[in-house]
Structure formats: structure tokens, C-alpha cells
Amino acid sequence: MANWCMVIDLEKCVACQGCSVACRMENNTPVVSPDEAKNGRAIRWNDVFPLPVHIAPEQGEYPNVKTHYATRPCMHCENAPCVKTCPVQATYIDEEGIVRQNYDRCIGCRFCTVACPYGVRYFNWYAPQWEGSLENHLNPDELSVNGSLEGPAVRPVGVVEKCTYCVHRLVKARERAAAEGREFRADEYVPACVQTCTGKARYFGDLDDPDSTVSQLSKSLRATHLLEDSGAHPKTLYLAEG
Amino acid sequence: MQPIITAQDRENLVSPLFKFDRQFWMTIAALLVVTLPGLALYVRQLFLGLGVTDLNRPVFWGAYLVNFIFLIGISMAGTVISAVLHLLKIEWRRPITRIAESLTVFGLMVAGLQIIMDMGRPDRLVNTLLYGRLQAPLMWDIASLTLYLLTASFALYLQLLPDIAFMRDSTPENAPTWRKKLYSTLSLGWRGNKEQWARLEKAITTVSVILIPIGVSLHTVTSWLFSTTVQPGWKSTILGPYFVVGAIYSGIGLLFIATAFATQYNHHLKGYITDTFYKNLGWIFIVMSFVWFYFTLNETLVVTTEQETLEFPVMAAKLFGEFAPAFWGMNVLMTAATWILIALKLPVKARSNPLFKTATGLVMTALAAVTFAALSMNIPALHASLVKTILLAAFIVFFILALLGLTGWFQARLIPSTVIASAFVLFGMWLERWNILMPTLTHARIIPYTTYFPTATEIALTISTFGILTLIFVIFYKFFPSISIWEVEAGRAIEQKNGG
Ligand code: SF4
Ligand code: SF4
């Protein structure tokens, strides 16, 4: 079984937010009004923000300024606090190391959103809405597991959603390989953000395969995790700017 | 020997239950007026989603959760009074065991409502049964709450049983048949013979023993909802006992208020609930006050001194930041409450010193309130540290003088003063819960710091919650006596035995 993992090279990231947009289109994440967004209700499964978070980015005086940015999908933690706290197992780690979300089971208690150290989980405060023609560009993919919605089809009000490493793409890639009567290869599956990344800063693959790019990169001296000390054993890797 | 329960007792305790007078309907109407707007707004929330609150990312929990913790806190009253004091065989508990126990049950009922109000998908509540994970702290809480509610209801019923039988036998002739039926069904054929009493006594003692660990578990588990996460400000082992202490503390406060409310409502009760109750429970109240301050000091001092990168910003928000009014407001309320309670225990002396005049106290209270407001408000002109220091010193002086000045007034009025202190404690405890939740939620690690203030919906629902609590209380005591008649009887029997 594969152990899927993403590696993000912050040295190559140009903070263009292409990944955010690709994620939005791929996963049908609802848009909210600017007012709502200001009130902290924007849903960005993959967010791009300045680091450090709590110090105003304009620190320093021209020309001695430097701003760092981070792009942040879900960490798909190996000891995920969200999974540990969910009372109904609406979020769980599958056997390929992806932390998944069952939208039909979630009771909307928001325990996971409070427990996640990375602020990766988003709640549907209102029923999702799309403005104008956006509605016509929804991704038609739908992933159901045992009759429960898990894929990019639009989520109902009152449930929590988050980055799934585009797990529906994995299912689709496997199905295609099966239909063509051949073995599925790990490089047939990447999430939308990895596919689109302007700076080619994102890598994706099987961490347990010693020959894969991600496991090679994980040995780099620059390899690190976000909030290494959170106790959640985050899996998504970063290559530090250096 | 006199009959222990006299005709007068019947007149005082039973007949009001069959009089649906103006006062009763007015109370119900008033309570409905405060409750209904919230209910209407809840229906709106059901249709639109939790967007109608001010919750956001990362403040995923808000007023509903604060209310939840507060309500299960006040529900501790019954367990402490009836179970602990019952086991310790403390006599003065007898007249108020009924009110105490019922507050536990009602408090837990409305606390349960808070969880449902806070859920994004209340329609999926049954999922907790279908797919419940016992490893999840929230499931511990749901399990503990259910168990506590069931046990406490059972305890209340056991304790009511002889009185239901008493009601069955004293129902006036003209009472509606359904009420007669109600009492005779609920009394389960209680005859009050020796064997039944022996069994009841045993059952009550057993339930009391069981109730205490369940009560402690609920408050502890609720604290674990927070302390088992890795969020700064919550990762604390003190939270469990702190919640238990806070629960007992606010539980006693509510018990005082409910008792005073009940005696105000039915004046005859004054003959049963005497000053002894206020005085003795007052001692426990003072002790809880000091334990509470001790825990608060532990929480505050340790984090403030170690100044850890993630923890300290949360604490700083309470000490000097946007949560300072709530944090210091809580401490001021608790200090005032503790002083009032202590003042009631001091020997009364008429004083001629103008410092101890009520008028001085009132003026000083006003000045203290103004300086506190000035300190809390974000007025740029007051930002200079010298101005702030002077204001702070002035506030402390005014506050102390206010307490001293009003001491005589408090000492002359046992019950009103106790009720005022209780109200301070209740409000302070609500703020305490707020101060535990909000600073952490608004100071997430890698999400920009945000703010939160309850919207009209959340405020209206909070008011409704307390309206519903009072409604249940008022209606319940239209059907069952608010004084445990058989306990009064037993108490008198003991007195007669000791006296003769
Ligand atoms: S980053 Fe958050 S949402 Fe993702 S697995 Fe870890 S705890 Fe769960
Ligand atoms: S909000 Fe949903 S996914 Fe999150 S803990 Fe609650 S039930 Fe589980």
C-alpha cells in the first residue's frame, strides 16, 4: 500500500496562489462574500499566507524587507488530532495515509476544527452558493464510499470539509488502469494543486517507495514540517527556504 | 405529642399548588416573552445554518459552548447539597434538598439543548449512537451527561416519592381528576410503612454515593474537551479540578438565588427555609471562593511567569489585551462576592465613621464603576502608561472603599446580600468560562488572530435558555412541593427526640 505524501519546496514557491485556485475549481469549494471572508469564513482548502502569521508582513524598512510565504494544504497527520477527536468517525485515515472526510456522517460539532493545530478544516456556515457563471463550472466528479459522499460534489450546510489530497483522482486513476487492463502506477495520480503549480514547487508520490521523488526529497537537509512540535506527526513535507 | 405535619403545613405547602392565580400566569407570560424571540431565531438558524452566529475560523465555538459549560456547572448544586450533605447527615440541608436536586436535573436538560443548538447538523444527532467512537472526548461528555441526567432524575424521583404520596392523599376535592390520577400513578403505591421507608432510605443513600463520582466526572470530562487538544491556553492539567470547583461554586450560587426566588414566590416557605440555611451554606460558599481563587492564581501565575511562546500571547490577551475587561471583571466580581460573604460573618457593630456609611459606599461604587469602564474602553487618550497607572490605582482605592462603605448595609440584610453575592458569582463564572474558551480560540497558532462577539441570535438564544430554565422550574413547582415535606417531617422528629 502506498503512503501518499506531498512535498512543497518553499524556495521554488512564488506565492502566486495558483494552487488555491486549482483546488477551488477541482473541489468545488464554495465562495463567500467579501464581508463573510473578512469575518474569517472564507474556505480555502489550500491557503497561501505570509509567515510568520502573527507579525504584520510589512515589518522592516525598504529596501530591507523580506516577506516569507507558505502554502498550506492539509498535513494528513499520522497522529491526526482531528481523527482522534471526531465523535462519529466522520474523518478518518485510510490505509494509504490520506485523512478523509465523510460529509454524510459529519454532525457539525466542529471538534476537529478546534483540535487541528493547522487550521486546515473549514465549516459550511451557510449552504454553498456560487455567483453567476461559476455555477456552470462545477467539477462533476463525485466520490461515494459505501453510499456516503466523500468527493468533490458540493457539500451541504453544517458540515466540515478539508483538503483530501484530491482522493477522487486516485480512485479515478485506479479505475482507468483497471479498465485498460494494466497495473496502476503511482505517478498516475497527483492532486490538482501539484498539477497546476506555477513554480513546480510541489511534488507528490509514495513516501514508502524509496525511489520516489518525495522520499528522496524527504531526506534533504531542508526537509521539515510545519509546527514540528504539534505532536500530530504532520506528513506533508516542506523544503525550507535556505 | 403534636402531629409533625400540621394542617397549617398543608395549607402552606400544598394548597398553593392548586391555585393558578394571576401571579402564576403573569410569571409564565413574562417568561414566555423573554423566551420566544430566541426560539424564533433558532428556527431561523435551523434554516440558514450557523452562519447567523458570529462564529468564524478559528473561533469555531462561542456563546453556546460557554453556556453549555456554565449550565452543567450550575447543575452541580444538587449533587453537592443533597448527595454530599445527605451522606454527611447534615440536618440543615433538609428543606432545600428538593430545590437543589431539581436544579441539577433542569440544568442538565438545558445544557443538553446547548449542544444541539451548537451542532451544524442537529438532524444527525443519532449518528453519535450509530457511529459513536468511544475514544473521542466528546463521546465521553455525551455519555457522562446522559448518565448524570438519568441518575439525577432518578434521585429526584426517589426523593419526591413520599411527597407524591402525600399529595395524592391531600389533593383537594375540587382538584381536576387528571391531577389526582397523576399523583396516584406516580406514587407507585407508596404507603409509607416501615419496610418501604427502610428501602427508600437505602436507595437514596446508594444513589447519593453513585451521583458524586458521576457529577465529578461530567465536569472533569467537559474540561478534557479542551485540555486534550494541543491548543495554547488549554493544555493544562489543572483544568479538570478547576472545572469541578467552579461547578460547585456556581452551583451554590444558583441554589441561593433559586431558594430566594421560591420563598419570594410563596411567602409561607420562609417558615421552612430559615436563616440557618443561608448562614451555613454561606460558609461552604466562602471556602469554595478561596479554592477558586487559588486555582485561578495557579493558572495565571505559572503561565505569566514562564512566558512560553504560544501560551503567553493567550494569557497576555487576558491580562492586558482585549479580554482584560472580562478577566479583571471576573476577578472584581468574585472579590466583591467573597467580601460580602465574609462581611456577613463579621460581628455587627454600629459605626459612626463616615467611611462605613452606605452613602459613601454607593458613591465609591459609582466611582469604581466609572474608572473600571474607563480602563476597559479603548480610549486612545488614556493609553499613556502614567494615566493608566493612576486610573488603576484610583480604581483599587474606590473599590476597597466601596466594599467597606457597604459592609454595614450587607450585614443588616442576610438574604439580599447573599443573593447579590450569588449573582456576582454566577456572572463571574460565566465570564470565567468565556475567559477559558475565547482567548484560546481567537489566538490560533497559524491563523491570524481574530475577534468574536455574539450576534443577536446568540444573545437571544442565551436569554431563552435561562428563560426555559426558569419556566421548567416554575411549572415543576406548580405540581410538586418545593420543600421536601417528608424531610421536614423527619427533621422535626429528630428535633423532638433530641428535645424530649
Ligand atoms: S492538518 Fe489538521 S485536518 Fe489535516 S490531518 Fe492534521 S489535524 Fe487533521
Ligand atoms: S465536525 Fe464533523 S468531522 Fe469534525 S469532529 Fe464533528 S462530526 Fe467529526
Side-chain angles (χ1 to χ4, degrees), chain B residues 168-188:
Chain B
R168 174 195 63 200
D169 303 334
S170 348
T171 316
E173 281 309 310
N174 55 0
T177 4
W178 63 269
R179 279 191 81 161
K180 289 181 191 153
K181 252 209 200 113
L182 178 81
Y183 295 126
S184 68
T185 317
L186 283 181
S187 61
L188 300 180

Side-chain angles (χ1 to χ4, degrees), chain A residues 36 39-42 47 49 51 53-54 72 81 83-89 102-111 113-123 125-127 156-159 226-227 229-230, chain B residues 48-62 118-122 124-125 127-128 131-133 135-139 224-226 228-231 234 310 441 443-451:
Chain A
E36 286 284 291
N39 192 16
R41 289 183 175 175
D47 203 2
F49 49 79
L51 276 182
V53 177
H54 300 309
R72 186 235 58 214
V83 173
K84 290 197 286 183
T85 50
C86 179
V88 295
Q89 210 165 43
N102 179 337
Y103 306 115
D104 282 347
R105 186 183 288 183
C106 171
I107 59 171
C109 65
R110 306 185 301 294
F111 209 117
T113 53
V114 170
C116 169
Y118 301 94
V120 162
R121 305 185 138 256
Y122 295 84
F123 184 71
W125 301 105
Y126 289 112
V157 63
V159 302
L226 211 52
L227 306 180
D229 61 350
S230 70
Chain B
L48 293 181
L50 278 167
V52 297
T53 63
D54 191 42
L55 296 173
N56 55 53
R57 170 176 168 274
V59 189
F60 286 102
W61 289 339
D118 192 59
M119 278 169 71
R121 304 293 306 210
R124 294 185 185 169
L125 190 61
N127 282 5
T128 55
Y131 311 107
R133 286 177 70 244
Q135 307 93 310
L138 192 67
M139 283 309 287
W224 289 346
L225 295 185
F226 309 102
T228 53
T229 67
V230 292
Q231 303 302 355
W234 290 347
L310 289 167
L441 285 167
H443 289 74
R445 296 197 199 192
I446 48 173
I447 306 174
Y449 294 159
T450 46
T451 54

Side-chain angles (χ1 to χ4, degrees), chain B residues 472-490:
Chain B
I472 302 179
F473 189 83
V474 170
I475 294 177
F476 185 83
Y477 286 118
K478 215 50 195 170
F479 287 95
F480 303 103
S482 48
I483 302 277
S484 174
I485 300 174
W486 67 271
E487 290 243 33
V488 169
E489 195 175 353

Side-chain angles (χ1 to χ4, degrees), chain A residues 171-206:
Chain A
V171 175
K172 249 172 49 177
R174 280 231 168 86
E175 279 169 1
R176 194 181 312 123
E180 291 171 7
R182 55 181 174 80
E183 286 268 309
F184 162 79
R185 287 193 337 261
D187 61 1
E188 286 179 67
Y189 155 50
V190 289
C193 57
V194 177
Q195 185 181 9
T196 207
C197 178
T198 316
K200 295 211 176 351
R202 299 169 97 99
Y203 306 86
F204 192 81
D206 178 3

